[in-house]
Amino acid sequence: MLVGLSHVSLASAQEEWCFLAYPRLPDGYRFPPGWRLAEPGDPIDAVVLTTAVPDYALKIVLKNIGDPLVPVVSLVADIRQCVDASAAGEQSAWMRARAIQARLRELPFPIRNSLQPEDMLLARIYSRDQGLAASYDSSARDLVRYPVAGPLDDVAEIATGLVGKGYLTRQFFDRIHCCPQCRSGHLSVREECRSCRSTNIREEVVIHHFRCAHEAPESQFRTGTGFECPKCARPLRHIGLDYDKPGSVTRCEECGGIGDKPVVGFKCIDCDAHHTADQVPVKTWYSYNLTSSGANRLLRGEPISPHASGDGPDRFRILLEHTQREQREFGVPYQVASISFTQRGAIEAQNVRLWEQSLLLMSDALHSALREVDAVQERPDGFLVLMPRTDPDGAKRAMDLIVGRMKAILKIDPGLQCVLLNDATVRELRDQAA
Amino acid sequence: MVELDTPLIMLGQLDWLNWLAMFWFMIILEIPRYTLSGLAVLLSSLKRRSSPTTAERQALDRLTISVVIAGHNEADAIEKCLRSLREQTRKIDEIIFIDDGSTDGMREMINRYCQSGQIDIALSNQVRSGKSASCNFGFTLAKGDIIVNLDADCSYDCDAIEKLIEPFTDPLVGATTGALGVRNYGYSAVTSYQAIEYITAIAMGKRALDMLDLVVCASGAFGAFRREAINQVGLLAPGPGEDFDLTLRLRRSGWKVRFAGDSWCFTDTPATFKAIIRQRRRWDRDTTRTRMRKFRDALHPGRRRFSLLETFEQVEWLVMNLLVTLVFPIYVAYLFLLFGNEAIYILLSVAVAYFILDIAGFSMALAICRRYDSKMIVRIFPYLLTYGLYNGVFMRCVRLYAYFEEWVHRASTRDSYSPSRVSRQAHYIR
Ligand SMILES: [Zn+2]
Ligand SMILES: [Zn+2]
Ligand SMILES: [Zn+2]
């Protein structure tokens, strides 16, 4: 540790690191060597918060700096999303700020200054040198936050896009129910009456009198002193011998309804709406890690085009290029089919697990029906299937087979649509990917 | 050819004393029963069944109806049962399902139906309590004026409940029961035999009994009870035989029990000889026990519960079921002792007589029921030829064995009908 520390200070002896302290540091505060207070016009390498700063003030400070990647450290405890280090001692705060800035300086100019959310997210993940880990946050509307993402919005959506491009991998974090009306995760889970949805319910034991086969809720058997059968007027003395308790009923104090079990319902604390369990969608949250291809992309300095949806230099693209060359030079036909699920959104909103299982099943069915020379690309809205050396009729037969197999194994109807793409569309796809 | 002719030639040469010596069993024990039934049926068909008047119909419409269905491991049957309930012409005010300690997911299933509004109350015993207790559980929570007790594994004609409650226009009627038909009549020989048996029993038996105001058992699979009446006499007693026991108690308290012959319920009957033997052994043991042990006093004049009609009814049952069954083997033995090998011919003629009676009875029954189509009749008619063997010999042997079991071993107390811990306690003190 000591060695590392001295190494860092030596290496950066020539460099000056400018920081902005907010509010200003007390007089005579000795900050570590290599740092200096930023003068007006200096680039800001780190923001150092010296006390608990209110949200709005911090926002103004960051806005004035205009750098979404700048490290923000606090010398006091501060657990807000955009603070990179706090509460671990002043020394470590300074070191953290320097480490982040050092990695930011590794980034090529176009990336370092890109305003694309995807670039910014990747750059933050890279510079903070830790994965994009999800954590619980009761103050967040959806109960989950990504500290590494700092001030960025819609982190999960951006990250999902990056996973699709191969720059991030994801690991399951949690599944959280959210209000179908306002998407809030602040839901109260309650046991309630089946008919009037009141939570004012009571469980009552059921008694079965062996001698006369009378079975009724316990309250009917209760007399002033003990238990007596309302049917045959005999006293109930001995459980297991005179009577037993085979079950229970739920009695509603509001509407008087009786049932076997209470039902589970959800009440949204934010918008006050009530929902039954089957109406409440579940959102799956993931933590993310940078892949080597993501890091390469960052360091090579090619900002991500906002419209690209290709999959990087993967098997599909290579095969597609090869096949197209074959067609140009030898006139060998090939086909690209697109299988899309029009119902994905609806099904996923209702039951994510069901959708994921179905997707796996469909993928299995697809691969089972294809030849080895065919290639598949998974896309958010379906599959692309490349079939080299195939004429349109052959492709249609193959598609019929695939769709037939998919339908046979699925419990749901994903709204399968299957079309053969024409050359122009395929070329467009390839250009996008490249 | 000769052998077939022989009994007929023999019959022609006999005087009436010889006839009696040979056929006393039929003449004394069977003919009166058939004649009696035939007469009752004739009477009932003469008396036109009137449909309710407008005032009566309005009174019927005011009655609220709770349907109570208790079952153990009947998850697969529920859908079919609910489907026929949805089709009912009579409005049902409340459907209560009780799962009695099922392990086949019945509890979850009825809760799901409850969720979707097809069942009003779903209840569950996590520990099995037996048919009587779980029905009682439903009865205590039912709010309707009339409680209709159904079985999950039966299905019902769409007007079954409407017809079933029609007799309640009479304020003295405490319970009604409907006609039971065989749903799987074409499945095997055994089910075809039972189809014939059920049709005959319902038309000739239950209708006749109803005509004479004798006891008809308000069945647990298909009965309706006035809530007031069953609350007065107490609900079901521990089984088995609890529906019959309740019927007798209702009658004892002055309530009438009526048979609604146009109200039809269909059920699957046992399809193999082994299964039907098991079922009948249980039924016969139950009936015997309820009759002989619990209502012995009906046969003792001077007791408080004595009534002439009840006694006649008990005697009738004693003679017609018990005596006929018990005497049959004696009769066969007697024939062989007295007539040697000729006994075979006599028995053959008895069989022929049974055959003729069966055909006559069955045709009459069909005419009265008017519920079965020609396809079904064609399907089961061939079995009528050997029905005498089934009913006269096979069933009689099963019944004999059951009586023997009940009397000697008191087997029904060890029945698996109720969980053993329940029946042990229920029969502990008698
Ligand atoms: Zn309620
Ligand atoms: Zn009791
Ligand atoms: Zn909400």
Side-chain angles (χ1 to χ4, degrees):
Chain A
M1 196 62 207
L2 274 172
V3 176
L5 199 78
S6 58
H7 171 77
V8 168
S9 24
L10 278 177
S12 50
Q14 300 88 353
E15 291 178 272
E16 290 258 79
W17 303 68
C18 299
F19 70 91
L20 180 94
Y22 183 86
R24 52 187 296 256
L25 285 167
D27 288 338
Y29 182 90
R30 290 177 53 199
F31 42 84
W35 288 99
R36 73 171 171 83
L37 265 165
E39 308 284 331
D42 278 341
I44 309 274
D45 292 320
V47 176
V48 178
L49 304 176
T50 54
T51 175
V53 177
D55 271 342
Y56 69 92
L58 182 59
K59 214 169 262 173
I60 292 170
V61 171
L62 291 177
K63 202 178 157 210
N64 284 338
I65 296 171
D67 177 6
L69 306 183
V70 70
V72 178
V73 297
S74 173
L75 301 181
V76 297
D78 192 337
I79 52 152
R80 272 175 297 177
Q81 164 129 4
C82 48
V83 177
D84 289 304
S86 77
E90 297 187 2
Q91 192 60 33
S92 86
W94 288 103
M95 280 171 59
R96 178 83 178 126
R98 174 167 284 203
I100 293 172
Q101 188 53 249
R103 283 181 80 88
L104 281 175
R105 287 181 183 186
E106 292 173 23
L107 297 175
F109 184 82
I111 296 282
R112 178 67 181 83
N113 294 293
S114 171
L115 288 175
Q116 283 302 322
E118 291 171 319
D119 292 330
M120 292 195 285
L121 185 61
L122 286 178
R124 283 195 74 97
I125 297 172
Y126 180 77
S127 60
R128 269 62 183 175
D129 200 17
Q130 61 193 59
L132 184 62
S135 66
Y136 296 110
D137 179 4
S138 58
S139 66
R141 198 168 178 73
D142 38 22
L143 296 181
V144 173
R145 65 172 182 154
Y146 293 95
V148 165
L152 300 179
D153 293 322
D154 300 329
V155 179
E157 284 67 31
I158 302 168
T160 305
L162 291 169
V163 168
K165 289 169 183 155
Y167 297 151
L168 293 179
T169 55
R170 66 181 190 188
Q171 298 87 41
F172 179 83
F173 172 65
D174 200 0
R175 241 171 222 136
I176 294 179
H177 290 268
C178 57
C179 170
Q181 195 165 296
C182 71
R183 312 304 292 180
S184 164
H186 295 154
L187 296 172
S188 158
V189 186
R190 322 113 50 90
E191 289 201 317
E192 49 194 35
C193 165
R194 196 180 289 278
S195 41
C196 76
R197 297 281 158 196
S198 164
T199 47
N200 188 6
I201 52 173
R202 182 165 58 86
E203 192 176 336
E204 193 177 337
V205 169
V206 170
I207 287 186
H208 168 208
H209 187 207
F210 294 145
R211 276 291 298 272
C212 71
H214 192 59
E215 187 175 328
E218 186 183 327
S219 54
Q220 290 196 15
F221 286 82
R222 206 177 278 284
T223 59
T225 47
F227 286 127
E228 190 186 281
C229 177
K231 180 181 164 193
C232 65
R234 288 192 180 89
L236 271 59
R237 289 211 187 91
H238 199 130
I239 190 161
L241 214 57
D242 293 341
Y243 67 98
D244 72 349
K245 297 179 172 178
S248 62
V249 291
T250 304
R251 200 187 278 277
C252 174
E253 306 281 16
E254 298 291 325
C255 71
I258 280 186
D260 178 12
K261 284 182 280 191
V263 291
V264 171
F266 291 83
K267 179 117 177 175
C268 177
I269 303 301
D270 283 334
C271 74
D272 205 35
H274 179 276
H275 307 284
T276 57
D278 55 341
Q279 291 170 328
V280 177
V282 193
K283 184 173 159 99
T284 307
W285 293 89
Y286 298 92
S287 291
Y288 302 86
N289 279 308
L290 201 59
T291 61
S292 53
S293 108
N296 276 338
R297 185 86 179 197
L298 266 178
L299 296 174
R300 267 191 290 139
E302 298 164 27
I304 297 160
S305 142
H307 304 294
S309 60
D311 206 9
D314 64 354
R315 175 168 181 262
F316 187 86
R317 213 184 72 193
I318 296 169
L319 212 69
L320 180 61
E321 278 166 8
H322 176 76
T323 318
Q324 282 174 324
R325 203 175 319 127
E326 232 180 14
Q327 188 209 24
R328 268 196 316 273
E329 290 169 11
F330 309 106
V332 183
Y334 74 93
Q335 307 296 329
V336 175
S338 151
I339 303 173
S340 54
F341 334 114
T342 52
Q343 296 299 316
R344 175 178 184 151
I347 300 166
E348 208 172 13
Q350 273 187 356
N351 191 337
V352 184
R353 248 164 302 168
L354 179 65
W355 172 255
E356 284 172 355
Q357 283 164 3
S358 307
L359 196 61
L360 282 179
L361 284 174
M362 284 194 283
S363 177
D364 285 349
L366 184 61
H367 287 287
S368 76
L370 289 177
R371 306 166 298 174
E372 228 164 73
V373 294
D374 299 327
V376 175
Q377 187 181 42
E378 217 172 291
R379 297 156 65 87
D381 58 341
F383 299 105
L384 278 186
V385 184
L386 169 64
M387 289 169 280
R389 300 173 198 192
T390 307
D391 57 10
D393 284 344
K396 280 209 189 76
R397 274 198 303 277
M399 285 302 108
D400 288 346
L401 176 69
I402 290 166
V403 172
R405 284 197 190 171
M406 283 184 178
K407 283 187 177 158
I409 54 171
L410 287 182
K411 276 184 275 183
I412 50 164
D413 176 18
L416 286 178
Q417 271 180 5
C418 199
V419 285
L420 290 183
L421 302 182
N422 58 26
D423 283 352
T425 325
V426 174
R427 223 170 293 130
E428 214 172 279
L429 276 173
R430 194 196 55 187
D431 292 344
Q432 274 174 19
Chain B
M1 230 32 226
V2 178
E3 285 179 13
L4 271 180
D5 287 343
T6 323
L8 293 176
I9 295 165
M10 249 170 55
L11 291 179
Q13 298 164 343
L14 295 172
D15 58 30
W16 67 270
L17 250 174
N18 272 331
W19 270 77
L20 195 64
M22 287 177 180
F23 300 112
W24 57 267
F25 181 78
M26 284 210 79
I27 295 168
I28 297 175
L29 295 174
E30 297 278 38
I31 303 281
R33 176 149 79 143
Y34 277 92
T35 323
L36 214 68
S37 312
L39 215 71
V41 166
L42 204 70
L43 277 172
S44 73
S45 55
L46 284 179
K47 193 181 105 182
R48 283 235 39 85
R49 276 193 303 278
S50 54
S51 46
T53 62
T54 320
E56 283 175 334
R57 173 122 342 260
Q58 281 169 353
L60 281 177
D61 287 345
R62 274 195 297 276
L63 295 172
T64 52
I65 294 193
S66 297
V67 169
V68 173
I69 303 170
H72 172 72
N73 287 346
E74 309 244 40
D76 296 338
I78 296 174
E79 173 56 35
K80 214 190 269 181
C81 176
L82 276 177
R83 209 170 50 201
S84 69
L85 286 183
R86 278 200 291 274
E87 295 297 308
Q88 289 301 312
T89 49
R90 175 58 160 91
K91 179 173 157 277
I92 298 169
D93 297 274
E94 183 177 53
I95 298 179
I96 302 177
F97 253 93
I98 300 109
D99 146 51
D100 189 19
S102 300
T103 51
D104 67 343
M106 179 172 169
R107 182 180 188 191
E108 287 67 32
M109 184 165 284
I110 60 175
N111 272 308
R112 219 173 310 133
Y113 281 118
C114 190
Q115 192 85 57
S116 64
Q118 296 183 59
I119 292 176
D120 295 281
I121 300 182
L123 300 166
S124 158
N125 289 327
Q126 276 107 76
V127 186
R128 195 176 161 208
S129 295
K131 171 109 181 161
S132 296
S134 31
C135 284
N136 282 342
F137 189 22
F139 290 173
T140 49
L141 296 175
K143 291 195 263 304
D145 302 316
I146 304 294
I147 296 174
V148 179
N149 193 194
L150 304 179
D151 247 11
D153 58 4
C154 292
S155 50
Y156 302 86
D157 276 4
C158 62
D159 58 355
I161 291 184
E162 184 188 340
K163 292 278 194 301
L164 185 65
I165 62 164
E166 263 175 17
F168 284 105
T169 48
D170 177 351
L172 285 179
V173 170
T176 64
T177 185
L180 202 60
V182 175
R183 190 163 51 193
N184 59 344
Y185 61 83
Y187 187 83
S188 68
V190 179
T191 59
S192 294
Y193 282 137
Q194 286 173 95
I196 300 172
E197 188 187 0
Y198 277 52
I199 294 170
T200 320
I202 276 157
M204 308 291 281
K206 288 202 173 180
R207 265 180 207 273
L209 289 173
D210 191 48
M211 270 303 300
L212 300 171
D213 198 26
L214 288 177
V215 96
V216 198
C217 172
S219 134
F222 191 31
F225 302 91
R226 202 183 280 278
R227 195 158 59 111
E228 183 196 345
I230 53 171
N231 281 341
Q232 184 199 331
V233 303
L235 307 175
L236 293 168
E242 73 284 346
D243 42 5
F244 187 60
D245 170 80
L246 178 59
T247 310
L248 288 182
R249 272 187 285 130
L250 283 169
R251 287 177 58 86
R252 248 156 247 288
S253 304
W255 293 98
K256 284 190 204 164
V257 178
R258 297 296 308 277
F259 174 64
D262 290 329
S263 171
W264 281 89
C265 154
F266 288 85
T267 184
D268 288 339
T269 50
T272 61
F273 278 103
K274 203 176 152 199
I276 196 178
I277 290 173
R278 201 178 325 122
Q279 183 201 45
R280 292 309 164 88
R281 268 169 57 197
R282 203 183 72 214
W283 284 6
D284 289 326
R285 282 196 318 247
D286 296 350
T287 329
T288 323
R289 206 195 65 219
T290 317
R291 293 241 180 208
M292 299 312 290
R293 296 197 192 281
K294 287 198 166 178
F295 292 89
R296 218 179 274 143
D297 51 358
L299 297 171
H300 289 264
R303 293 253 179 123
R304 195 166 49 84
R305 283 173 172 177
F306 172 78
S307 97
L308 198 66
L309 195 64
E310 289 301 319
T311 311
F312 172 70
E313 198 276 324
Q314 286 281 21
V315 169
E316 190 265 354
W317 177 81
L318 211 63
V319 171
M320 290 307 176
N321 288 287
L322 215 56
L323 208 62
V324 168
T325 308
L326 292 177
V327 167
F328 183 70
I330 301 174
Y331 172 64
V332 174
Y334 157 88
L335 282 185
F336 275 97
L337 271 179
L338 207 64
F339 299 97
N341 279 343
E342 268 178 60
I344 292 176
Y345 300 120
I346 299 173
L347 282 174
L348 266 175
S349 1
V350 169
V352 169
Y354 266 123
F355 174 60
I356 293 165
L357 282 173
D358 285 337
I359 296 236
F362 185 66
S363 322
M364 241 197 313
L366 279 179
I368 292 163
C369 287
R370 272 172 284 160
R371 178 62 184 79
Y372 291 99
D373 55 11
S374 51
K375 186 175 139 258
M376 187 263 192
I377 296 166
V378 168
R379 184 75 222 271
I380 61 172
F381 201 80
Y383 294 98
L384 207 56
L385 299 175
T386 43
Y387 180 69
L389 272 179
Y390 165 85
N391 196 38
V393 180
F394 172 69
M395 273 302 143
R396 208 153 263 168
C397 292
V398 173
R399 202 169 294 152
L400 201 65
Y401 182 64
Y403 293 155
F404 173 76
E405 266 185 318
E406 166 62 20
W407 283 6
V408 177
H409 296 298
R410 296 181 64 172
S412 65
T413 53
R414 291 195 314 266
D415 213 298
S416 65
Y417 187 80
S418 296
S420 64
R421 91 205 130 73
V422 176
S423 43
R424 231 192 350 263
Q425 294 309 326
H427 299 287
Y428 189 59
I429 312 163
R430 278 178 191 275

